[in-house]
């Protein structure tokens, strides 16, 4: 495992870290507290020292479990996200009263005195033109409730606009099927010393290379019921890529890159960009941790391999994904 600076936070975090959206159970399945804690322990044993959670994951149980682990492992850093647990997502959830309440609830949920880094959880675009939202976060820093803050975004433009404020981190979708952040945003993030977390790194599993046209997902799985954005931004499901198109693109990547382990190579691809502080693949149980962390051990992709990824992206994905997010 290698470690990278997480922007102006100064934290040194594992380049392959852990996202906890699925912690303790797959999408739409009951939460298993033992599996959840054991997954964090397994990740830690593999060198992971950074977890990304949110107040709404598993109705707060993810946050509780991460907090419990951190209280026993103070060398671990984390982000939690706020503003999205109450539906429907609205601008009002990012006003001073809501943000203060959410932070207080996360502190209680995690049994901590201060939060390492709080991300606004995919605010609507208009929130970025509400300076009082960000000034509230500044005040929460002054009060010692949070150490740093930032944003988790849907669009590159949101990430760039957020840098108008005193943010420390941006969480953004970046993977072999979502290359646009590398065109401009990464340079700006480095210039402004902003930590970058790459979320949805495997495009909801498409970049595992294991799915076929006949693959079925559980009825409550977002890969079944959010393909057109019925529940939240469709850009978070398969990175906004048409499923069958994604299957074809993943198959071509496997063939042209000469790999049966596309998932690990897809994670290693993200780490080729030095603007990225960490990639945060998820895991619903301990057995999936080694699958993720082996990516840190792979050799760097060659120029030819990087060109193949771009070629497949241009062939299958760029239109329309490049222009939507």
């Amino acid at each position: 495992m290698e470690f990278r600076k997480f922007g102006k936070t100064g934290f040194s975090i594992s380049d392959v870290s852990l996202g906890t959206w699925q912690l303790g159970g797959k999408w739409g399945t009951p939460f298993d507290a033992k599996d959840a804690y054991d997954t964090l322990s397994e990740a830690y044993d593999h060198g992971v020292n950074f977890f990304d959670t949110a107040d709404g994951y598993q109705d707060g149980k993810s946050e509780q479990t991460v907090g419990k682990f951190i209280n026993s492992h103070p060398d671990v850093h984390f982000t939690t996200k706020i503003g999205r647990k109450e539906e429907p997502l609205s601008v009002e959830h990012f006003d001073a009263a809501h943000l203060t309440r959410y932070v207080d609830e996360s502190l209680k949920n995690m049994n901590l005195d201060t939060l390492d880094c709080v991300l606004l959880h995919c605010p609507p675009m208009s929130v970025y033109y509400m300076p009082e939202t960000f000034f509230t976060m500044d005040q929460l820093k002054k009060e010692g409730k949070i150490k740093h803050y930032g944003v988790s975004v849907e669009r590159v433009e949101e990430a760039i606009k957020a840098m108008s404020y005193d943010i420390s981190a941006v969480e953004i979708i970046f993977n072999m099927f979502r290359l646009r952040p590398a065109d401009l945003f990464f340079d700006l993030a480095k210039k402004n010393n902003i930590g970058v977390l790459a979320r949805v790194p495997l495009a909801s599993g498409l970049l595992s290379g294991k799915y076929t046209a006949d693959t079925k997902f559980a009825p409550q799985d977002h890969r079944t019921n959010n393909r057109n954005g019925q529940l939240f931004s469709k850009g978070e499901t398969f990175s906004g890529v048409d499923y069958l198109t994604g299957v074809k693109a993943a198959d071509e990547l496997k063939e042209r890159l000469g790999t049966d382990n596309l998932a690990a190579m897809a994670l290693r691809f993200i780490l080729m960009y030095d603007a990225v502080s960490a990639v945060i693949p998820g895991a619903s149980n301990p057995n999936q941790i080694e699958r993720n962390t082996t990516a840190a051990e792979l050799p760097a992709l060659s120029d030819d391999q990087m060109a193949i990824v771009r070629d497949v992206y241009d062939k299958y994905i760029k239109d329309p994904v490049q222009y939507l997010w």
Side-chain angles (χ1 to χ4, degrees), residues 122-134:
C122 298
M125 187 65 183
S126 59
V127 170
Y128 296 90
Y129 294 87
M130 294 166 46
E132 60 272 20
T133 290
F134 298 87

Side-chain angles (χ1 to χ4, degrees), residues 32-145:
D32 187 312
K34 184 179 185 303
D35 254 5
Y37 195 88
D38 288 349
T39 300
L40 299 180
S41 296
E42 186 73 10
Y44 184 78
D45 290 344
H46 278 77
V48 173
N49 75 338
F50 182 84
F51 303 137
D52 172 78
T53 187
D55 57 4
Y57 290 174
Q58 299 283 15
D59 294 323
K61 295 183 180 69
S62 172
E63 207 177 47
Q64 290 171 10
T65 307
V66 171
K68 179 181 178 181
F69 191 88
I70 286 168
N71 274 291
S72 299
H73 301 80
D75 57 324
V76 173
H77 295 292
F78 69 95
T79 45
T80 192
K81 299 185 289 294
I82 61 172
R84 199 174 175 181
K85 69 178 177 179
E86 296 177 325
E87 297 180 349
L89 179 68
S90 72
V91 170
E92 287 73 23
H93 295 158
F94 298 91
D95 65 20
H98 280 87
L99 293 177
T100 301
R101 173 166 64 85
Y102 294 150
V103 166
D104 287 342
E105 289 171 350
S106 289
L107 285 166
K108 182 178 179 181
N109 212 22
M110 301 186 78
N111 192 28
L112 294 169
D113 295 325
T114 187
L115 302 172
D116 273 359
C117 186
V118 174
L119 305 179
L120 304 182
H121 201 173
C122 298
M125 187 65 183
S126 59
V127 170
Y128 296 90
Y129 294 87
M130 294 166 46
E132 60 272 20
T133 290
F134 298 87
F135 296 163
T136 296
M137 301 305 289
D138 291 333
Q139 181 60 35
L140 291 168
K141 279 179 65 176
K142 291 177 182 177
E143 294 173 8
K145 292 183 177 181

Side-chain angles (χ1 to χ4, degrees), residues 306-322:
M306 295 293 284
I308 287 170
V309 175
R310 174 62 71 169
D311 184 56
V312 171
Y313 174 82
D314 288 345
K315 178 179 178 181
Y316 292 100
I317 309 298
K318 183 176 182 179
D319 183 14
V321 169
Q322 173 93 358

Side-chain angles (χ1 to χ4, degrees), residues 276-297:
V276 173
S277 306
V279 58
I280 50 171
S284 57
N285 62 66
N287 296 329
Q288 296 173 347
I289 292 297
E290 187 169 2
R291 173 203 66 186
N292 294 341
T293 55
T294 54
E297 302 169 5

